[in-house]
Amino acid sequence: MDDTTLGPGFGGVRFKAYPSTAAAVEEAQRLAAAMTLKHALAELPYGGAKSVIIDDGLHRDGSDRQALVARFGSFVARLGGLYIPGVDMGTTLADMTLIAQQGAKVYCAEHDPAPWTARGTYVALQAGAAHVYGSHDSHDSQSSDGANAVAGLRVSVQGVGSVGAALARLLAAAGAHLIVSDVDSGRARQVAAEVGGEVVDPAQAPFVDCDVFAPCAVSRVITTDGVERLRCRVVAGAANDPLDSPEVAEALRRRGVTVVPDYVANAGGVIHEHARAMGWPEAQLEDAVDAIGPRVAEILRAADQAQEPPLVTAARRGRDRLRQSGSRGS
Ligand SMILES: NC(=O)c1ccc[n+]([C@@H]2O[C@H](COP(=O)([O-])OP(=O)(O)OC[C@H]3O[C@@H](n4cnc5c(N)ncnc54)[C@H](O)[C@@H]3O)[C@@H](O)[C@H]2O)c1
């Protein structure tokens, strides 16, 4: 749990192997802090939280996995609604149902948020591409028309799971050239065939010759050492926490690489969950997710003006919202 100023902590459950328990805890803390900012910037009534289940290789499938997820669910139930879990890398809708069966409130048990996360990431990527490369529509440099902003660009998508594959399809339909990668090489080949793209080694995904790098898998994929090796001018993807440190954000800015803040780009999924819980009509949900595009464009312009990384601008705006909301509540 990071912050509950705006409401109960809401954030996904990540099921993944870690080099140590400390590394798992650190990742959960960093991701929870990003969830706080994500909800604040998307104007949602939730706090920031995240959880990880450490994959020890013994509980990946079948009844062993079910027992582990159920145990996790009992723990969440004891928190009495303070934490609302949802899906994240490595967890499924079935896992959320199992957690709910232990008495916990969950999101994502009935509807997969991934298509909405992909849609939001897509409009965020368009906004990043329009900001750096301009829109192909000369009348409106802030055009939200994806075909105009991304047509002809080379986009490297790292991780073509639920979100990455959907994003790749949207980009291909808009005329982008796709370079796809995944540690599951069969999946990478399948998606590449579908979108008419090429496959590269996942470790090389950030460094291939491309205009946009879209991290859609694990966290902290761009490190200080990697900054000089990037060839794109835009980083915009769904992966949470893609930069290794704040220093990397500043180094990228100095190098002329625009990083679209991850927690602004990938908010489509949480907006979708809130919309379902509130019974919003489809058009209201679509509008709220598509509003990510103009929000990103605005943050990028403000960051340029302030000569700071967009992540710094976005974090300040998120904290301002928390402060305003905290003082209204007191
Ligand atoms: N699902 C959502 O709605 C949602 C919402 C917000 C943020 N995100 C973030 O987006 C990212 C992807 O989420 P997802 O739901 O698509 O997960 P997923 O588990 O469906 O897909 C992840 C994919 O990445 C691949 N992968 C794992 N490690 C990799 C590596 N080192 N290099 C390349 N590929 C690798 C996996 O094989 C898999 O195909 C995660 O960082 C997640 O936290 C997802």
Side-chain angles (χ1 to χ4, degrees):
M1 302 287 289
D2 177 66
D3 187 292
T4 53
T5 306
L6 297 176
F10 167 32
V13 186
R14 187 167 278 201
F15 188 97
K16 182 172 160 274
Y18 290 89
S20 65
T21 303
V25 170
E26 189 192 352
E27 177 153 287
Q29 285 172 333
R30 286 174 66 135
L31 294 171
M35 291 306 289
T36 301
L37 297 172
K38 183 188 301 199
H39 295 140
L41 287 164
E43 300 178 16
L44 294 174
Y46 304 105
K50 203 86 178 183
S51 52
V52 301
I53 299 179
I54 300 174
D55 176 5
D56 61 3
L58 303 173
H59 298 82
R60 273 186 201 151
D61 325 285
S63 57
D64 288 340
R65 179 188 172 104
Q66 285 193 333
L68 180 66
V69 173
R71 235 168 57 229
F72 174 80
S74 307
F75 170 71
V76 175
R78 287 209 302 277
L79 295 176
L82 260 183
Y83 169 50
I84 308 172
V87 287
D88 194 84
M89 250 180 76
T91 53
T92 62
L93 272 60
D95 292 330
M96 292 310 121
T97 303
L98 191 52
I99 292 168
Q101 283 164 357
Q102 315 312 309
K105 176 175 179 173
V106 303
Y107 277 171
C108 317
E110 285 160 23
H111 310 273
D112 184 4
W116 295 94
T117 304
R119 180 171 174 148
T121 305
Y122 172 65
V123 295
L125 190 153
Q126 280 174 45
H131 182 80
V132 171
Y133 299 111
S135 167
H136 298 220
D137 178 349
S138 57
H139 300 296
D140 179 9
S141 65
Q142 265 126 75
S143 167
S144 59
D145 181 344
N148 284 338
V150 300
L153 295 188
R154 287 171 61 82
V155 184
S156 170
V157 180
Q158 184 185 48
V160 281
S162 312
V163 179
L167 176 67
R169 288 184 200 109
L170 291 169
L171 289 165
H177 177 78
L178 272 301
I179 302 155
V180 304
S181 53
D182 199 294
V183 286
D184 180 338
S185 56
R187 186 177 291 169
R189 277 197 302 276
Q190 188 194 330
V191 174
E194 203 187 315
V195 299
E198 53 191 288
V199 177
V200 296
D201 182 290
Q204 290 310 311
F207 312 117
V208 291
D209 181 17
C210 63
D211 302 299
V212 182
F213 170 51
C216 292
V218 286
S219 302
R220 302 170 80 168
V221 288
I222 306 178
T223 59
T224 313
D225 297 346
V227 169
E228 292 299 317
R229 295 172 56 210
L230 284 189
R231 297 167 79 176
C232 61
R233 289 178 59 208
V234 179
V235 175
N240 288 301
D241 202 17
L243 308 187
D244 192 41
S245 66
E247 290 71 36
V248 173
E250 175 58 16
L252 287 170
R253 186 189 74 81
R254 287 179 181 276
R255 195 155 186 263
V257 179
T258 294
V259 180
V260 173
D262 50 305
Y263 48 80
V264 182
N266 67 20
V270 291
I271 295 169
H272 161 265
E273 290 309 314
H274 181 63
R276 295 285 181 236
M278 296 294 117
W280 286 4
E282 197 78 355
Q284 188 179 354
L285 164 60
E286 288 174 3
D287 287 351
V289 173
D290 291 344
I292 290 173
R295 188 174 298 137
V296 165
E298 225 276 297
I299 288 171
L300 299 184
R301 278 196 298 275
D304 277 0
Q305 259 170 18
Q307 298 191 349
E308 64 188 12
L311 277 161
V312 171
T313 312
R316 188 170 52 247
R317 287 177 179 211
R319 283 194 299 270
D320 285 350
R321 293 233 166 101
L322 289 178
R323 251 194 309 277
Q324 284 157 11
S325 165
S327 55
R328 268 204 305 274
S330 59

